[in-house]
């Protein structure tokens, strides 16, 4: 029989009062800007925090009635399914990521924090309308001392195992999307940054041009579609088009995996790279904002004059624009030249004409618009000297 690896796990019972404390510590860990200022005592105090943020799990979709039902189950002794947690290191601190059970854990935490009043209870109706602070002491005690069954994965032979664990324990009525799973598995500073940027977009705290460009609807944000698109863009901005990636999602998968592994291998190098990527992305978004003042949905066929109201964000266009900007950098042009309105307008005009005459509008082309080889050929043919009206500083090989 051939040898094979297995994931190590242990079963344990955790009192709900301890779970709430671990979740509270998890929020503290996420708020820490610079872990180097923490002394050993505080780092140890935060060890085994439960991380319950949207960066790692799906957005919270349970209703107050759902939450109330969980509290009622504890009070009357109906068994609560075990939660599944996985050891990880976040900002250098050992934490527990939630594989399955986020809604249950959040319900306990939110109720203890008086964030909602019980509602829709069928068996303990006399408690409807009451918050944690308003129920009898004996009931508070029963909730907080209740032992919650937990299965903790202490070690994974590799990320493939961890991905499969997330897949198997999230096949419920609301299964995680592949991007939600990636966010749970591939933890990194860049992961956190992208999720926060997407949140700014959907809450319209970024510019209206960027929110429109990324089509940052609540649904696309909750399903992590906005975040996946950003990771595709980031991969191409840094590395260009990869002909071996036959699906756009592979750009997100491989990029997130690479950054997570980099951070675990050498945090200092990873942090420098994170700052580099963030700066490049900011410059890219300045260009998109400029285009957005002229074209409402730059990542769509509208970029070259074709109405695309039903397709406000098309990943193929996002890939092409990212690849063009990557080529600008590869050829030695500083992105600062695009701060000149006349140069950027020239690039926009050239791009519009170029894409209008590309495979995207070829009636005989019936393959995927994200075909890596076709995009690679397209970018190879894209004449930067003509598009920018300037000679490249460092011609590519």
């Amino acid at each position: 029989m051939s040898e094979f690896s297995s994931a190590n796990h242990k079963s344990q019972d955790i009192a709900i009062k301890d779970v709430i404390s671990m979740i509270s510590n998890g929020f503290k860990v996420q708020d820490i800007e610079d872990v180097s200022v923490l002394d050993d005592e505080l780092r140890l105090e935060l060890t085994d925090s439960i991380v319950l943020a949207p960066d790692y799990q799906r957005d919270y979709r349970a209703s107050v009635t759902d939450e109330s039902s969980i509290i009622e189950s504890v009070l009357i002794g109906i068994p609560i399914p075990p939660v599944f947690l996985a050891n990880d290191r976040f900002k250098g601190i050992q934490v527990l990521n939630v594989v399955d059970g986020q809604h249950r854990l959040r319900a306990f935490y939110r109720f203890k924090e008086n964030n909602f009043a019980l509602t829709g209870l069928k068996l303990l109706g006399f408690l409807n309308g009451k918050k944690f602070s308003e129920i009898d002491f004996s009931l508070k005690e029963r909730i907080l001392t209740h032992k919650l069954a937990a299965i903790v994965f202490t070690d994974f032979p590799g990320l493939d195992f961890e991905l499969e664990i997330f897949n198997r324990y999230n096949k419920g009525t609301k299964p995680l999307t592949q991007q939600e799973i990636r966010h749970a598995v591939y933890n990194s500073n860049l992961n956190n940054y992208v999720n926060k940027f997407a949140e700014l977009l959907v809450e319209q705290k970024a510019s209206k041009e960027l929110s429109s460009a990324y089509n940052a609807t609540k649904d696309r944000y909750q399903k992590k579609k906005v975040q996946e698109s950003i990771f595709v863009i980031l991969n191409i901005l840094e590395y260009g088009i990869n002909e071996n990636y036959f699906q756009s999602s592979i750009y997100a998968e491989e990029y997130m995996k690479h950054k997570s592994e980099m951070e675990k291998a050498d945090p200092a190098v990873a942090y420098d790279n994170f700052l580099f990527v963030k700066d490049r992305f900011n410059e890219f978004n300045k260009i998109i904002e400029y285009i957005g003042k002229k074209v409402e949905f730059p990542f769509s066929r509208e970029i070259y004059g074709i109405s695309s109201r039903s397709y406000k964000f098309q990943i193929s266009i996002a890939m092409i624009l990212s690849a063009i900007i990557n080529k600008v950098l590869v050829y030695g042009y500083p992105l600062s030249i695009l701060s000149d309105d006349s140069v950027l307008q020239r690039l926009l005009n050239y791009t519009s004409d170029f894409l209008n005459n590309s495979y995207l509008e070829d009636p005989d082309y019936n393959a995927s618009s994200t075909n890596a080889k076709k995009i690679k050929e397209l970018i190879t043919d894209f004449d930067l000297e003509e598009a920018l009206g300037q000679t490249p500083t460092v011609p590519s090989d």
Side-chain angles (χ1 to χ4, degrees):
M1 181 178 178
S2 61
E3 293 185 0
F4 59 90
S5 301
S6 61
N8 296 321
H9 66 275
K10 62 182 180 181
S11 300
Q12 62 186 84
D13 293 333
I14 310 175
I16 288 178
K17 67 182 182 67
D18 293 327
V19 167
I20 291 169
S21 176
M22 293 161 76
I23 292 172
S24 180
N25 281 342
F27 288 127
K28 291 178 184 177
V29 170
Q30 288 187 290
D31 287 338
I32 295 171
E33 293 289 340
D34 183 4
V35 294
S36 66
V37 302
L38 302 181
D39 57 30
D40 288 350
E41 185 176 347
L42 184 53
R43 289 168 67 92
L44 289 173
E45 181 183 324
L46 295 173
T47 296
D48 282 349
S49 299
I50 292 178
V51 179
L52 257 189
D55 294 345
Y56 309 103
Q57 276 284 354
R58 70 176 76 201
D59 295 315
Y60 198 54
R61 303 174 193 171
S63 67
V64 171
T65 301
D66 293 334
E67 294 178 305
S68 300
S69 179
I70 292 171
I71 304 302
E72 184 181 49
S73 294
V74 169
L75 288 172
I76 63 180
I78 294 177
I80 303 293
V83 298
F84 293 81
L85 309 171
N87 270 343
D88 192 15
R89 298 201 75 81
F90 179 58
K91 298 182 179 179
I93 297 172
Q94 179 176 297
V95 299
L96 296 169
N97 285 338
V98 179
V99 178
D100 184 63
Q102 181 198 160
H103 290 168
R104 278 158 273 161
L105 296 177
R106 276 192 185 268
F108 298 134
Y109 178 81
R110 279 170 37 79
F111 187 58
K112 172 61 170 61
E113 293 296 304
N114 290 304
N115 291 152
F116 68 91
L118 297 170
T119 186
L121 300 186
K122 296 180 179 179
L123 301 176
L124 301 178
F126 67 94
L127 294 177
N128 281 326
K130 293 189 176 182
K131 295 184 175 182
F132 180 83
S133 61
E134 299 169 333
I135 64 176
D136 292 344
F137 175 82
S138 62
L139 298 180
K140 294 176 182 175
E141 188 176 52
R142 189 181 304 180
I143 293 170
L144 294 182
T145 58
H146 178 84
K147 296 292 182 65
L148 193 64
I151 296 176
V152 181
F153 291 93
T154 57
D155 186 39
F156 289 100
L159 285 172
D160 289 343
F161 267 70
E162 193 166 348
L163 271 172
E164 186 59 22
I165 293 293
F166 274 84
N167 266 311
R168 295 195 184 191
Y169 287 112
N170 284 286
K171 292 185 180 296
T173 55
K174 295 179 181 178
L176 293 176
T177 66
Q178 287 300 306
Q179 186 60 25
E180 286 176 315
I181 292 170
R182 292 183 198 114
H183 271 261
V185 174
Y186 300 132
N187 182 22
S188 71
N189 282 323
L190 191 59
N191 191 353
N192 303 334
Y193 168 75
V194 168
N195 211 57
K196 286 181 173 61
F197 177 74
E199 185 178 350
L200 291 176
L201 292 176
V202 77
E203 292 180 354
Q204 297 186 338
K205 293 180 180 179
S207 69
K208 64 178 182 179
E209 288 83 9
L210 287 181
S211 293
S212 293
Y214 287 95
N215 191 23
T217 64
K218 185 176 181 180
D219 182 65
R220 275 173 46 79
Y221 169 76
Q222 288 180 335
K223 293 178 179 177
K224 297 290 192 289
K225 289 294 185 183
V226 175
Q227 293 90 321
E228 178 179 309
S229 300
I230 292 171
F231 277 112
V232 173
I233 288 170
L234 289 175
N235 191 329
I236 296 172
L237 282 177
E238 189 170 0
Y239 301 116
I241 297 295
N242 189 320
E243 292 186 64
N244 295 318
Y245 294 169
F246 57 90
Q247 290 180 341
S248 61
S249 60
I250 296 178
Y251 285 89
E253 173 90 21
E254 293 301 319
Y255 196 70
M256 294 178 73
K257 180 179 180 180
H258 173 60
K259 298 306 179 186
S260 178
E261 290 175 342
M262 179 190 292
E263 199 160 296
K264 291 177 180 177
D266 193 331
V269 170
Y271 188 70
D272 286 343
N273 177 257
F274 163 66
L275 295 179
F276 163 78
V277 171
K278 188 168 72 167
D279 286 345
R280 179 166 290 191
F281 187 55
N282 286 338
E283 290 302 309
F284 175 76
N285 281 327
K286 288 178 184 177
I287 297 168
I288 298 305
E289 278 187 290
Y290 175 87
I291 298 173
K293 296 180 186 300
K294 302 173 178 295
V295 179
E296 187 175 5
F297 305 113
F299 297 124
S300 77
R301 295 168 73 200
E302 283 194 13
I303 191 71
Y304 55 95
I306 308 296
S307 179
S308 300
R309 293 288 158 174
S310 298
Y311 299 96
K312 298 176 181 179
F313 184 98
Q314 293 172 268
I315 193 62
S316 57
I317 304 298
M319 292 169 68
I320 290 168
L321 289 182
S322 306
I324 289 172
I325 298 303
N326 171 265
K327 184 170 182 176
V328 169
L329 293 166
V330 168
Y331 271 69
Y333 294 102
L335 283 184
S336 58
I337 67 167
L338 297 178
S339 61
D340 184 320
D341 285 356
S342 62
V343 176
L344 190 50
Q345 184 61 56
R346 181 185 178 109
L347 175 64
L348 184 58
N349 292 341
Y350 179 88
T351 301
S352 177
D353 292 338
F354 185 79
L355 295 183
N356 254 311
N357 293 289
S358 71
Y359 75 93
L360 295 173
E361 295 303 316
D362 183 352
D364 296 324
Y365 181 77
N366 53 18
S368 171
S369 61
T370 60
N371 183 295
K373 290 186 177 180
K374 293 299 293 185
I375 294 180
K376 185 79 171 180
E377 291 172 4
L378 193 72
I379 299 305
T380 298
D381 292 340
F382 193 92
D383 189 337
L384 278 181
E385 191 167 352
E386 175 66 25
L388 299 174
Q390 298 185 31
T391 303
T393 306
V394 184
S396 64
D397 294 335

